[in-house]
Amino acid sequence: MQSAIFFLVATEEQLQTARSVAAHLPASFVIDPYTGRAELLDSHTTVTRPVKFRVTPQAIIRARLVVGRAFALAPASSSVLVIGQDIGYVERAAVAAAQARGARLILMPDGIVASKRVDGAGHRGLGAAARNAIDRRLRTVRLLAGRRDEFGASGPCLVLSWGPGWESTWRTRCPGAEILSTGSPRADGYTTITQRPAVGNVLVCSQPLLLPPQLRTVKPQAESWYRWLTELYEAGYPQLRIRLHPSERSDRYPLPSELISLRSGPATPLLDDLRWADVVVAPFSSVLVEAMAAGRVPIAAGGTEVWGAFADNAFLADPRVPTIDFRLRPTQNSLIERAENAAALTESLRDEFLANLGSAATAAAQAIRAHGEA
């Protein structure tokens, strides 16, 4: 083979994105660093990143070994590794192993990214200093790529940005990379969604605000968020749905007891929930951008005044994106009223923050193939 293309996947969303892009490429391979699987992408049907995964030396070694097995499957004169993020330690270990083998690194973001590094509770005190020292040492001996909690710091040669609205963020985070606005392949399917039902349906999307250690600094806000979700759930609004994040559906996630029943039964596909909704509410999740792509009105629950730097990204910073303070316990009617006042403005966001809607997978594949052949 002249060029081999590998996709590093650690979540179901990353796998589905990889499959949509790989449909426009020659045979591609998948690397799952958490399970240690390396195989043809067509053979990899599911992936689940463990909740509360503990990083151990064995996990880092396993990630490096699976990269070696993957590259042995596809010996080539050049290789490309496509990643969704370079924050997790296991992902960083896999990236370092691939770079040691001469692979070109392409960042195909699996979600929105904050405008700058967020230093949460995990970056303070003696424990943080020790972790930083260990991290530096592991980087020095090239067991890890990038830098601790810095998205894009692993040195990609190319970033497949979602749209021109994100360019300044990527210029700051990846100054040495080429930036191409190819769009979000995951959003291509949203072109099949028709106009809003216009009946007042509200979809409230939660996210695992109690899980990442760096979010400990906003624990009071997270607890307030779940209290509001509980009130909405117990109110039984017929035109309001609460959608849990996949991590929140895990038995290991500390979901409030009042919301446990939301875990029962299979999760509704996001595409179906978006098709049903008129308005989508979430703290600072990528689902807000996806809602905008689907022609729904996104409402940020909190913004930087509540979540600080965690919600400081180019999309939520745009004044056309409406924001509500969930701590004031807004009702379904007040959410609809807020959305109606902002609907005309949010329609103008699409081309700026999600380029090539409907053809993003093709655009990403063309860029990946070009870099593989370079």
Side-chain angles (χ1 to χ4, degrees), residues 9-12 14 32-36 47-55 59 62 85 88 90-91 208 211-212 245-248 250-253:
V9 299
T11 66
E12 189 66 26
Q14 290 177 359
D32 184 340
Y34 285 89
T35 63
V47 58
T48 302
R49 182 174 181 172
V51 175
K52 292 186 176 180
F53 180 81
R54 291 189 63 186
V55 180
R62 184 168 60 245
Q85 56 95 345
V90 173
E91 287 88 341
L211 184 59
H245 185 277
S247 293
E248 291 175 302
S250 168
D251 292 339
R252 299 186 65 186
Y253 183 80

Side-chain angles (χ1 to χ4, degrees), residues 83-123:
I83 64 172
Q85 56 95 345
D86 55 1
I87 295 293
Y89 280 100
V90 173
E91 287 88 341
R92 291 172 61 198
V95 169
Q99 288 177 323
R101 290 170 169 80
R104 287 170 168 260
L105 184 64
I106 296 178
L107 177 58
M108 184 168 63
D110 61 358
I112 58 179
V113 60
S115 298
K116 55 188 176 182
R117 169 175 160 158
V118 180
D119 288 337
H123 290 272

Side-chain angles (χ1 to χ4, degrees), residues 19-253:
R19 293 175 72 88
S20 65
V21 173
H24 307 282
L25 291 168
S28 303
F29 299 83
V30 66
I31 299 173
D32 184 340
Y34 285 89
T35 63
R37 293 175 62 187
E39 57 193 350
L40 279 167
L41 182 56
D42 289 343
S43 303
H44 206 70
T45 57
T46 186
V47 58
T48 302
R49 182 174 181 172
V51 175
K52 292 186 176 180
F53 180 81
R54 291 189 63 186
V55 180
T56 62
Q58 292 79 9
I60 291 177
I61 292 171
R62 184 168 60 245
R64 293 182 62 84
L65 290 176
V66 70
V67 170
R69 292 199 299 273
F71 277 57
L73 289 174
S77 58
S78 66
S79 55
V80 169
L81 179 67
V82 184
I83 64 172
Q85 56 95 345
D86 55 1
I87 295 293
Y89 280 100
V90 173
E91 287 88 341
R92 291 172 61 198
V95 169
Q99 288 177 323
R101 290 170 169 80
R104 287 170 168 260
L105 184 64
I106 296 178
L107 177 58
M108 184 168 63
D110 61 358
I112 58 179
V113 60
S115 298
K116 55 188 176 182
R117 169 175 160 158
V118 180
D119 288 337
H123 290 272
R124 300 171 186 169
L126 294 177
R131 287 190 291 271
N132 287 336
I134 294 171
D135 195 86
R136 285 193 299 270
R137 179 58 181 165
L138 292 177
R139 296 198 317 264
T140 300
V141 298
R142 298 185 179 181
L143 287 176
L144 293 180
R147 292 183 296 275
R148 183 169 173 246
D149 290 340
E150 291 194 34
F151 203 131
S154 56
C157 62
L158 174 65
V159 176
L160 303 179
S161 173
W162 281 11
W166 304 100
E167 184 163 349
S168 62
T169 298
W170 293 120
R171 292 289 177 205
T172 301
R173 287 186 170 273
C174 307
E178 179 183 0
I179 313 296
L180 292 180
S181 292
T182 54
S184 170
R186 195 167 65 231
D188 280 350
Y190 299 162
T191 57
T192 63
I193 296 181
T194 57
Q195 294 182 341
R196 293 192 297 270
V199 294
N201 291 341
V202 177
L203 176 66
V204 180
C205 295
S206 188
Q207 58 193 95
L209 298 167
L210 298 173
L211 184 59
Q214 62 267 30
L215 283 170
R216 290 172 187 161
T217 54
V218 292
K219 185 177 180 181
Q221 295 92 310
E223 292 173 344
S224 181
W225 166 258
Y226 283 114
R227 284 196 295 271
W228 182 55
L229 284 193
T230 299
E231 289 182 10
L232 293 177
Y233 184 53
E234 293 178 344
Y237 294 115
Q239 291 177 272
L240 186 142
R241 289 183 185 177
I242 297 175
R243 178 183 177 86
L244 295 180
H245 185 277
S247 293
E248 291 175 302
R249 294 180 65 85
S250 168
D251 292 339
R252 299 186 65 186
Y253 183 80

